[in-house]
Amino acid sequence: MNKIGITIGDVNGIGIEVLIKSFKELKSILKQNRLIVFGEKAHLEFYFKEQEMKNNLQFTDMFTEFSPTLNKPSGRFEIFPLKFRRSYLPEPGRITKISGELAYRSIITACSEVKNKNIDSIVTLPISKESIRAGGCRQTGHTTILEDYFKKKITMVFLSEEMNVILITIHLPISKVPGKISKEEIIQKIETVYHFFKKRKRNQKFLILGLNPHAGENSLLGKEEES
């Protein structure tokens, strides 16, 4: 049995809704694994109401409180509360300081549980880079947050049936990309990904990409790509 942490992402974004809509597809995984959501019950309930009416689902059928002593799958998502200092209801579509604080705390709390070997891996729901910056995070995304926390080199990859891509540069203005590409950087990224899949006895072919995949993030990562 694996214990998989799910970070809540930006509570004003689409992440929680995607998680709820994926419940049917994840039922088979929940039979053999624990899926633990790092977030607040109120935020999950906020987005659940619409799905509850559409699909005749009950919140308690899908979610239960996290139990550190549980040693078998519960068949439901478990909620690991962040114990945030004040109440907050989501404001869909808005960039806010508090949603950024919540997203960052969710990631760091999940990282702490991995470090303490209480969970085995992390799946991340989408964040807003503008919100986490407003919330006090000095990093620009999941990759750099994880690198900073674990003090290890981490490589972002995109996997699909059609194409696998290794990103050599991330979260940079286009103007700074050429200065960040080097032989050593390319080798390090390839070796990291190669050893990851070798441990899992999987052979994968990759394309190597060295451009900014985020289109500037509303000028947060440069203004070159503004239309």
Side-chain angles (χ1 to χ4, degrees):
M1 177 188 69
N2 291 312
K3 290 175 284 185
I4 304 168
I6 302 173
T7 59
I8 202 70
D10 194 302
V11 297
N12 293 337
I14 197 172
I16 299 175
E17 185 179 348
V18 170
L19 177 67
I20 293 170
K21 287 182 176 179
S22 67
F23 181 66
K24 290 180 181 179
E25 287 73 23
L26 291 173
K27 273 190 174 180
S28 59
I29 296 176
L30 284 163
K31 289 178 181 178
Q32 298 180 356
N33 304 277
R34 292 175 65 186
L35 301 184
I36 304 158
V37 183
F38 287 79
E40 300 298 329
K41 180 180 179 181
H43 301 152
L44 293 161
E45 285 183 312
F46 179 90
Y47 286 98
F48 186 81
K49 288 179 181 178
E50 182 181 350
Q51 301 304 315
E52 186 176 36
M53 294 174 64
K54 285 182 179 179
N55 301 308
N56 195 29
L57 293 171
Q58 296 294 319
F59 188 83
T60 52
D61 292 339
M62 291 179 60
F63 296 95
T64 186
E65 295 291 333
F66 171 75
S67 171
T69 59
L70 186 68
N71 56 15
K72 62 180 181 179
S74 67
R76 293 175 288 177
F77 294 106
E78 297 174 55
I79 305 172
F80 190 111
L82 301 176
K83 298 179 181 178
F84 203 62
R85 67 182 182 279
R86 55 194 172 109
S87 60
Y88 175 75
L89 282 180
E91 303 172 85
R94 287 198 62 197
I95 303 295
T96 67
K97 176 182 177 181
I98 193 167
S99 64
E101 291 176 345
L102 283 161
Y104 183 59
R105 177 175 290 197
S106 176
I107 298 166
I108 294 302
T109 305
C111 286
S112 175
E113 293 301 299
V114 168
K115 192 172 184 178
N116 294 329
K117 298 183 179 180
N118 293 325
I119 62 174
D120 303 299
S121 57
I122 298 173
V123 175
T124 60
L125 296 179
I127 60 173
S128 161
K129 292 176 175 57
E130 291 178 83
S131 289
I132 63 168
R133 275 291 181 89
C137 175
R138 62 188 179 86
Q139 305 297 343
T140 53
H142 286 110
T143 309
T144 45
I145 291 171
L146 294 172
E147 279 193 333
D148 186 61
Y149 187 90
F150 291 107
K151 308 301 179 188
K152 292 182 178 181
K153 285 288 186 180
I154 293 174
T155 299
M156 186 188 299
V157 300
F158 296 155
L159 302 176
S160 72
E161 293 181 1
E162 292 78 22
M163 183 187 302
N164 299 324
V165 177
I166 299 173
L167 301 181
I168 302 302
T169 62
I170 59 170
H171 305 160
L172 289 173
I174 288 292
S175 60
K176 294 185 179 181
V177 169
K180 286 290 184 179
I181 298 176
S182 67
K183 177 181 176 181
E184 292 73 23
E185 188 75 7
I186 293 171
I187 291 172
Q188 180 265 310
K189 299 283 187 183
I190 293 173
E191 286 181 342
T192 299
V193 175
Y194 170 77
H195 289 300
F196 177 86
F197 284 101
K198 185 178 180 181
K199 280 185 178 181
R200 288 151 183 82
K201 297 180 180 179
R202 289 180 60 186
N203 293 319
Q204 297 280 352
K205 291 184 178 180
F206 286 89
L207 297 176
I208 299 172
L209 194 66
L211 298 177
N212 175 4
H214 290 285
E217 290 285 342
N218 293 329
S219 301
L220 182 67
L221 304 176
K223 298 182 178 181
E224 294 86 350
E225 293 166 314
E226 287 184 358
S227 57

